[in-house]
Amino acid sequence: MTDNLSQDLPQAPMHAAPDAIHIKAPQDAPIAHPSVAFMLRHPAHLIAIGFGSGLPRIAPGTVGTLWAWVAYLVLQLWLDKAQIGWLIAAGIPVGWWACTVTARHMRVADPGHVVWDEIVAFWIVLWLTMPMGFWGQCAAFALFRFFDAVKPQPVQWADRLFKGFGPRGGWGIMFDDLVAAFCALLVMALWKHFTH
């Protein structure tokens, strides 16, 4: 009986040197920078990469958060606060699925180009603080980016809590950003309390 696994491995000529046998195929390498083609290959990729906002090689998390900001302002033109709340509520489990699938396909446990976690987390910040002026929105953006990028406690704890591939790792991608959103909201609430 032939071993099925051995059929999948590349066969080297009998006279080849041992290092000529390559067991790991090139397609098994992690995808460090997803392409537009990769993003469009699966609906989960499109969502997780933030509809293209996560494609930039430099600061994809910041670009994804900017996209979230603009998208929220556009959503306000058609949806009321309750409808946006339902959209966010749906975006959390959908994002969990999308992040799980995309991380597995990229073969990276927590890809920087996956930005749906930033998007839905910053939507929560805006949903709970709007309406406010431009500078207030800037402050919300800066605070969220600080907690998400620098990862002081408890964000650092949240970032380390769920790791790996599969649903646990997918939730880990989302969870630290949700904690960063909570921290940004807490600072804004304290600021408002002590300045009014």
Side-chain angles (χ1 to χ4, degrees):
M1 182 180 291
T2 306
D3 186 355
N4 290 334
L5 180 60
S6 65
Q7 292 177 346
D8 296 333
L9 298 177
Q11 301 298 314
M14 293 302 294
H15 62 275
D19 60 355
I21 300 175
H22 302 289
I23 294 176
K24 188 173 183 181
Q27 63 266 26
D28 291 337
I31 299 173
H33 304 289
S35 63
V36 173
F38 174 85
M39 180 182 71
L40 298 176
R41 198 172 298 151
H42 194 289
H45 301 176
L46 186 64
I47 295 167
I49 298 173
F51 302 94
S53 62
L55 290 175
R57 288 175 176 259
I58 299 174
T62 299
V63 176
T65 308
L66 285 170
W67 187 92
W69 186 359
V70 173
Y72 189 92
L73 296 178
V74 172
L75 286 171
Q76 282 189 314
L77 300 176
W78 291 290
L79 303 177
D80 61 29
K81 192 139 185 155
Q83 290 170 325
I84 294 175
W86 283 113
L87 179 65
I88 293 169
I92 293 173
V94 169
W96 183 2
W97 164 77
C99 292
T100 300
V101 170
T102 305
R104 186 172 68 244
H105 290 176
M106 290 181 69
R107 294 174 288 279
V108 179
D110 190 353
H113 294 275
V114 166
V115 297
W116 185 256
D117 48 335
E118 279 91 359
I119 290 169
V120 75
F122 192 56
W123 279 355
I124 291 171
V125 173
L126 293 175
W127 184 66
L128 291 173
T129 56
M130 293 287 272
M132 59 182 171
F134 174 73
W135 292 112
Q137 295 173 47
C138 285
F141 175 86
L143 281 169
F144 174 72
R145 287 308 303 145
F146 167 77
F147 283 108
D148 184 36
V150 178
K151 299 191 188 308
Q153 295 293 0
V155 183
Q156 187 180 106
W157 162 81
D159 184 55
R160 294 175 177 174
L161 193 58
F162 303 102
K163 288 294 184 185
F165 292 96
R168 180 181 176 86
W171 178 246
I173 293 172
M174 298 282 296
F175 185 59
D176 67 304
D177 291 83
L178 296 174
V179 174
F182 169 79
C183 292
L185 287 165
L186 180 61
V187 171
M188 293 177 74
L190 290 172
W191 176 264
K192 186 174 181 180
H193 176 75
F194 287 111
T195 57
H196 287 79

